[in-house]
Every structure is written in C-alpha cells, then in structure tokens.
Amino acid sequence: MRRLSLLFSATLLLSAAAGSVAVAQSTEPIGLGGHAEVPEAGYAITFPDDWTYVRPSVGDIDVIVDELSAMAPDIAAMVEQGLAGGLVFSLMAFAPASPGDPVLENCNVNGGPSGGLSLDFIVAQNVAGLGAFEDVLTTGPDTAMVEMPVGEVGRIDIGWSLEGQPLEVSVYLYTDGETFQTLTCTGAERPPDGWSSIAETFEFLS
C-alpha cells in the first residue's frame, strides 16, 4: 500500500489546478503500449511498447479493474485507489513493475477547458499551486518552455520526499487555445530525457 500512497499523493498535488474533462462513450479502455487515442478528451499520445495504459472514463470502472487484476494486479490496485481518492484522469499509464522498486513509474493525463488562458498563465498557475507544499519539495520547481511537434509546451520539474521516499516528477502542459492537458510523469528517478520521449508524442485531435 505504501507504493500506492506515494504515487497518488504526488499525482493529486500536481492535479490540484486542473479541471475535469467532459467525456463521451467509446471503446478500448485498456491497452498495452503504442499509440493511444483519447477522443473523449481530444488528444493522442504514444507510450513505450511494454507500458500499460488505462482510460478510466471509458466503460465500467469495476469491469476495468477486474480485467486489470488478471493481467497486472499492481496496476489494478493503483487505478482503483487513485479513482477512489477522487482523482480525475482521462488516461493513466504504467511502466512494468521492477522487483524492489518502491514507486511504479507512471504518467497520467488530465485537463479541461482553458478559458482562453495563455500557456504562460497555465504554467504560472501550476507553479503557484506548489507553494502550499514547500515542506515536501526537495528541488524546484524548475520551469521551461520547450518546442515539441505539437508546438510550445510548458515543463515543470520538481523533486520531493513523501514518507521518506524521494520522487522525481516532470509535468508537461499543453494548450490548443480552447483546452489544456497536463501530462504528469512520476518515478523514483527521473530518466535522462525527463520523459520527453513520451511528452513529445502528444498531439491534439482535430
């Protein structure tokens, strides 16, 4: 259970400024790696082939968790706890579990209407929201604007310690002028590219 609480404490903190996404019924709530389209939230993204992704807003969550339990019990427990805690995601993705790893590497996406707010303002809003958690932050927030295929993207890197476990988090913020999406990636260590190989595959669906 410690792994679960660490994951969702981190994700909840960085989801505080994000709104919920209006959803529409579609199919394929569980997938293994590759290109994942999320038409109900208006975007697509690609994960490594050995990652498992879940679209919690699609279908019956009890059925989704039951299916996951048969293929990846660790992920099923994390999805169930995360959604029970009131978190709102259009997509949750998880790397394969490694023995002894206290944190299951993961990336989650949530978002909503941008209200016409600029990317600079959205980044500043997220950074300001971290001010209430200075007691657990160990590094950052470090911010940057980066160019990706989708256009300009805001990036926030932070480190923190929860229950004595160091965590590294990279957040990528996207907007098309009408909506925004937030990709939050968490792990015990930040990979050399800061998960940018995943982040740069993000695209808005027309």
Side-chain angles (χ1 to χ4, degrees), residues 8 12 78-89:
F8 289 110
L12 179 60
M78 296 176 79
V79 170
E80 187 172 34
Q81 182 182 352
L83 297 177
L87 301 179
V88 180
F89 299 113

Side-chain angles (χ1 to χ4, degrees), residues 7 11 51 78 93-95 103-108 184-186 195:
L7 166 69
T11 306
W51 282 45
M78 296 176 79
F94 304 87
V103 179
L104 193 60
E105 184 181 6
N106 67 94
C107 292
N108 304 307
T184 303
C185 296
T186 304
W195 294 284

Side-chain angles (χ1 to χ4, degrees), residues 7 68 86 127:
L7 166 69
L68 278 173
V127 170

Side-chain angles (χ1 to χ4, degrees), residues 22 135 144:
D135 57 331

Side-chain angles (χ1 to χ4, degrees), residues 65-175:
V65 170
D66 285 346
E67 291 183 7
L68 278 173
S69 295
M71 53 189 285
D74 222 14
I75 293 176
M78 296 176 79
V79 170
E80 187 172 34
Q81 182 182 352
L83 297 177
L87 301 179
V88 180
F89 299 113
S90 54
L91 190 66
M92 308 168 77
F94 304 87
S98 298
D101 189 350
V103 179
L104 193 60
E105 184 181 6
N106 67 94
C107 292
N108 304 307
V109 184
N110 65 340
S114 67
L117 298 175
S118 69
L119 180 60
D120 285 339
F121 185 88
I122 294 171
V123 171
Q125 185 181 43
N126 277 263
V127 170
L130 293 170
F133 302 92
E134 292 181 351
D135 57 331
V136 296
L137 292 180
T138 55
T139 61
D142 299 318
T143 64
M145 293 294 184
V146 295
E147 285 295 328
M148 293 189 170
V150 72
E152 190 173 44
V153 176
R155 175 173 170 171
I156 306 172
D157 288 340
I158 64 172
W160 52 31
S161 179
L162 294 175
E163 300 179 18
Q165 171 63 50
L167 295 175
E168 297 292 337
V169 181
S170 291
V171 181
Y172 293 89
L173 299 154
Y174 312 84
T175 182

